[in-house]
């Protein structure tokens, strides 16, 4: 089920900008994105309820994403 707060994705693209056309791949990518959005929403809500600054938790979530590594990057 699509969430209106999740950025719309009309298609996913590969590293060369070509659309991903496999419906199963698209389904997995969309499900992963929804799970990530849900986990981030939960973390934001928990932090705010515990008195943390909203801007700080958002910055931390950005740092988490920015710190992800691609183990398949071609050298």
């Amino acid at each position: 089920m699509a969430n209106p707060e999740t950025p719309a994705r009309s298609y996913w693209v590969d590293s060369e900008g070509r659309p991903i056309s496999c419906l199963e791949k698209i389904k997995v990518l969309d499900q992963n994105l929804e799970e990530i959005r849900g986990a981030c929403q939960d973390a934001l809500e928990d932090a705010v309820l515990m008195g943390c600054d909203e801007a700080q938790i958002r910055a931390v979530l950005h740092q988490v994403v920015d710190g992800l590594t691609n183990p398949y990057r071609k050298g």
Side-chain angles (χ1 to χ4, degrees):
M1 174 184 289
N3 184 313
E5 296 175 3
T6 300
R9 298 276 187 210
S10 57
Y11 62 91
W12 292 90
V13 296
D14 67 15
S15 60
E16 295 181 10
R18 296 177 301 225
I20 301 293
S21 59
C22 175
L23 295 179
E24 283 303 310
K25 289 179 181 180
I26 293 169
K27 182 179 176 181
V28 168
L29 292 166
D30 288 343
Q31 287 174 342
N32 287 345
L33 185 60
E34 183 60 25
E35 289 176 21
I36 292 164
R37 191 210 63 79
C40 288
Q41 182 67 44
D42 291 345
L44 173 69
E45 291 173 13
D46 288 347
V48 170
L49 284 173
M50 290 186 276
C52 293
D53 179 65
E54 180 181 348
Q56 181 185 20
I57 187 63
R58 288 181 182 276
V60 169
L61 292 172
H62 281 280
Q63 289 173 352
V64 169
V65 172
D66 291 343
L68 296 174
T69 58
N70 176 0
Y72 307 107
R73 179 170 287 145
K74 296 175 184 173

